Amino acid sequence: MSFNDDARLDSNRVKDSRGRRGTKIAAGGGGILVVLLAAMFGINPDMLAQFGIGGEPSTEQTATGAPEIAECKTGADANARQDCRILATTQSLDSFWLSYLPKYNVKVAKPGVEIFSGRVDTACGPATSAVGPFYCPGDRVAYFDTAFFADLQNNYGSDGGPLAEEYVVAHEYGHHIQNTIGTLAASQQGGTGANSGSVRVELQADCFAGMWAGYAAQTKDANGNTFMKPLTEADLRSALSAAAAVGDDRIQKAATGRVNPEGWTHGSAAQREVWFLQGYKTGDINQCDTLSSKNLNKPGA
Ligand SMILES: [Zn+2]
């Protein structure tokens, strides 16, 4: 889905910490925190490590010449740059969720969104890019390192279209919605496995991402101009390819050659696709009840 060129962006909406010098991670404790984070909100770092992704301490950057979110001003910028696309997608998500949830008498505040490079300190502890994108309920911030989107394409087989990236942003925003309505805590129940609380929470975030995708072409900027063009078939394929690319079976197979449902935390590729589509087609939060679903392969069954 591409943005309308004249949609207006507010670069203050997203915190940009890429140019900051020398963020330090305390020695010792970081690993455990990152694993906890990843198990709840991101991608299993062990799997990522097997792909050789992330984990390297980034070289300290100077602000000189680094991309800055302040340069993102319009939808045209969002069509051209990944960081601007995170900003624009966030604003479209704000427009959708802040008008949708009040219909159910649910008050929702915007989540924080931060783009970082290499590593970042959060209320959930320090994290590196190896965790993948994640949402921290402690500070209500979704964290993104744009390097992940290249990994998603090159190492996981997402098709690299803009909606692949937008899906990831919408999924993390979905965790904020879960934090707001109280379903996020279910990720702590039941350990891992095909029917675990973790899988159910992740599939619900996919369903919420699909809901946004279905409404995205109606979301508006501060001037009343729509953010996005209507979703095309190619856009839908991009989103589904990204959802499938981060399916547990796909990642396990690539890493170990085997599929072990007992280790699942996010759901299979097919399940992630089908729940994204469920949200997309129904546009109804009540149809995203993965927590009590009897068959996660068949929404509504
Ligand atoms: Zn997630």
Side-chain angles (χ1 to χ4, degrees):
M1 185 181 318
S2 49
F3 290 87
N4 288 315
D5 284 346
D6 58 355
R8 202 182 73 181
L9 307 185
D10 173 11
S11 62
N12 292 319
R13 177 66 183 88
V14 167
K15 182 178 174 188
D16 184 356
S17 59
R18 286 173 293 179
R20 220 169 39 191
R21 285 165 181 269
T23 308
K24 287 208 179 74
I25 288 195
I32 293 164
L33 285 162
V34 165
V35 170
L36 280 174
L37 266 177
M40 287 165 63
F41 309 110
I43 288 172
N44 187 331
D46 296 336
M47 293 294 179
L48 290 171
Q50 293 181 53
F51 283 96
I53 296 168
E56 301 297 325
S58 66
T59 49
E60 293 188 0
Q61 295 179 331
T62 62
T64 317
E68 289 178 40
I69 203 75
E71 295 160 2
C72 303
K73 296 189 166 68
T74 66
D77 296 330
N79 290 330
R81 277 174 51 163
Q82 284 184 329
D83 52 352
C84 302
R85 201 172 302 136
I86 292 172
L87 169 64
T89 306
T90 297
Q91 289 193 249
S92 174
L93 283 155
D94 289 341
S95 169
F96 169 57
W97 283 110
L98 270 65
S99 65
Y100 184 89
L101 282 181
K103 291 178 201 160
Y104 293 91
N105 292 320
V106 175
K107 280 189 195 144
V108 56
K110 297 173 186 175
V113 175
E114 181 168 341
I115 300 177
F116 71 100
S117 174
R119 48 191 169 170
V120 66
D121 288 315
T122 82
C124 298
T128 71
S129 301
V131 193
F134 64 96
Y135 171 77
C136 170
D139 51 23
R140 297 176 165 258
V141 175
Y143 293 90
F144 301 94
D145 180 337
T146 51
F148 174 78
F149 299 112
D151 294 335
L152 192 63
Q153 184 176 359
N154 300 333
N155 299 312
Y156 293 92
S158 135
D159 78 355
L163 208 80
E165 179 181 339
E166 292 155 22
Y167 150 77
V168 172
V169 178
H171 173 96
E172 297 307 332
Y173 203 113
H175 286 318
H176 174 69
I177 300 303
Q178 293 176 311
N179 196 20
T180 302
I181 65 177
T183 57
L184 187 62
S187 67
Q188 307 273 35
Q189 297 157 9
T192 65
N195 284 305
S196 63
S198 173
V199 165
R200 291 175 185 277
V201 164
E202 293 300 330
L203 294 177
Q204 186 174 63
D206 286 336
C207 194
F208 288 177
M211 284 177 64
W212 163 78
Y215 283 104
Q218 296 170 37
T219 61
K220 290 184 175 150
D221 69 11
N223 293 336
N225 296 319
T226 52
F227 275 113
M228 309 185 85
K229 296 176 179 158
L231 200 89
T232 64
E233 283 291 319
D235 289 329
L236 196 55
R237 278 198 299 275
S238 285
L240 292 174
S241 78
V246 286
D248 286 320
D249 51 346
R250 201 69 82 77
I251 293 173
Q252 285 179 335
K253 191 121 206 247
T256 67
R258 288 181 298 120
V259 173
N260 169 26
E262 286 176 16
W264 287 7
T265 54
H266 287 69
S268 69
Q271 288 172 333
R272 301 197 72 164
E273 287 186 335
V274 85
W275 281 101
F276 178 91
L277 280 174
Q278 170 77 351
Y280 178 70
K281 287 178 182 163
T282 68
D284 180 357
I285 197 166
N286 291 311
Q287 302 301 317
C288 291
D289 186 7
T290 56
L291 298 191
S292 54
S293 168
K294 294 202 167 56
N295 183 351
L296 289 173
N297 297 318
K298 280 194 181 166

